[in-house]
Amino acid sequence: NSVRLDANCLWNIDIQRCAMACSKYPDPPSCDAPSVAGMCIYDGSNCKSNCQHLYPTSDDIASCTADPVCEVMTGADGSDRCIEPCDLLNLTTCLAHPLCTPQDNSCVPGCGIKYADAISCSTDGQCMWLPMAGSCIERCEISNPNPSPTDGCPTYCVATSDGHCASKCANIHQDATGCQADANCLWNVNTAACGPGCSSPELNGCPTPCVATSSGCMPACNQRYGSVNACGSDPKCMWNYGSASCELNNCTGHTPCRSTCYTDATDNSCHAACSAFPIQTACDPNTYCTWIMSTGTC
């Protein structure tokens, strides 16, 4: 701390070296230069030391609180840090700042400051939750929009076909509602978790839980629907009463129909065989079927 007594010098806490004081940089370009990034800030008229370097330790928190241009923020790791209010930072400094993030050409508090749990984190369209780290961070589309060819995307992101980074579905959606509203994601009713949808860049080809159909790679019916009513609302799916699960409806379209399907002679359309409906409430809505009370069959 003794180096702080020299007005011409400043201790750079990032590289642990004595550096030229920010006041020696006369204009915004020199104040924002990469060599001093994270150490200095231009306030509109002067280049000055940022709050992290003025008050770098936990012993300085009281002084930080008393400084009208600084504020104390608690990071995701629970430690208190002294920083400038995010809205005073330029976008370059903001992007490199651990507690702030760019948004609509301004700088705002980052996800790690605003949220401490998965649910509140995931409701913010700018943020995503990392389960392994137990922390909230900016989505990949914001923090890593254009990865370098050598570095690629971080492990918690996925590379898209056009060279960008996208957030993984499991990190951005914690409930079925948000997951199902995202065209790139699919809610797995069996695991109660959000995973990549069949059109997601997270997938290569059409692997399980998706199925290849004439319409392309589609989510498997048993992944999307867990009840009779929900399954029946999708004409591409049908409820299997034997396995109590939703399955792909193979009896659609027109002739030639599969041998296990019923063919309506009036229009040559294909329908599920009546035997697929073992209870009367399922049998009765199908006009081509009749419920036989004496045998309890459709």
Side-chain angles (χ1 to χ4, degrees):
N1 286 348
S2 60
V3 291
R4 296 168 66 183
L5 299 176
D6 188 333
N8 294 312
C9 301
L10 176 69
W11 186 254
N12 189 321
I13 60 175
D14 297 322
I15 60 175
Q16 293 295 298
R17 291 181 182 176
C18 188
M20 187 168 69
C22 297
S23 59
K24 298 301 180 180
Y25 299 96
D27 49 40
S30 61
C31 187
D32 294 337
S35 60
V36 295
M39 186 176 77
C40 304
I41 183 172
Y42 197 79
D43 65 1
S45 57
N46 298 292
C47 186
K48 64 177 187 176
S49 305
N50 63 24
C51 296
Q52 298 98 296
H53 286 81
L54 283 175
Y55 311 110
T57 71
S58 57
D59 295 334
D60 298 317
I61 294 300
S63 299
C64 175
T65 303
D67 192 322
V69 298
C70 298
E71 66 181 6
V72 177
M73 279 193 173
T74 302
D77 60 359
S79 63
D80 289 332
R81 308 179 195 184
C82 187
I83 71 166
E84 289 76 24
C86 296
D87 57 7
L88 297 182
L89 304 180
N90 62 51
L91 294 182
T92 300
T93 305
C94 183
L95 187 61
H97 201 287
L99 300 179
C100 302
T101 186
Q103 181 177 315
D104 299 328
N105 292 319
S106 61
C107 190
V108 298
C111 299
I113 284 294
K114 294 190 289 185
Y115 308 113
D117 65 272
I119 299 300
S120 57
C121 174
S122 299
T123 58
D124 190 321
Q126 304 288 319
C127 306
M128 67 178 182
W129 184 256
L130 295 185
M132 296 298 292
S135 61
C136 186
I137 66 170
E138 280 65 38
R139 291 193 181 188
C140 302
E141 294 83 352
I142 298 171
S143 60
N144 295 277
N146 300 296
S148 69
T150 53
D151 295 337
C153 295
T155 55
Y156 51 81
C157 305
V158 59
T160 64
S161 58
D162 55 1
H164 299 298
C165 289
S167 304
K168 291 185 176 181
C169 294
N171 294 337
I172 57 178
H173 300 300
Q174 306 301 315
D175 58 50
T177 302
C179 183
Q180 290 171 340
D182 191 326
N184 288 321
C185 302
L186 173 67
W187 183 256
N188 189 319
V189 295
N190 298 315
T191 62
C194 190
C198 298
S199 59
S200 171
E202 290 186 57
L203 297 182
N204 182 19
C206 193
T208 303
C210 303
V211 291
T213 71
S214 58
S215 301
C217 188
M218 300 288 291
C221 294
N222 66 342
Q223 298 295 319
R224 286 179 286 166
Y225 308 117
S227 67
V228 176
N229 291 337
C231 180
S233 66
D234 189 334
K236 295 184 177 65
C237 303
M238 68 175 293
W239 188 257
N240 184 319
Y241 287 87
S243 62
S245 63
C246 192
E247 297 180 351
L248 182 68
N249 184 0
N250 291 312
C251 299
T252 59
H254 293 78
T255 54
C257 302
R258 295 189 179 212
S259 59
T260 54
C261 304
Y262 166 77
T263 301
D264 189 334
T266 59
D267 59 1
N268 292 321
S269 59
C270 305
H271 303 272
C274 296
S275 58
F277 310 110
I279 59 175
Q280 187 174 0
T281 53
C283 178
D284 287 346
N286 299 283
T287 56
Y288 59 90
C289 297
T290 301
W291 183 255
I292 303 174
M293 297 295 294
S294 59
T295 59
T297 58
C298 185

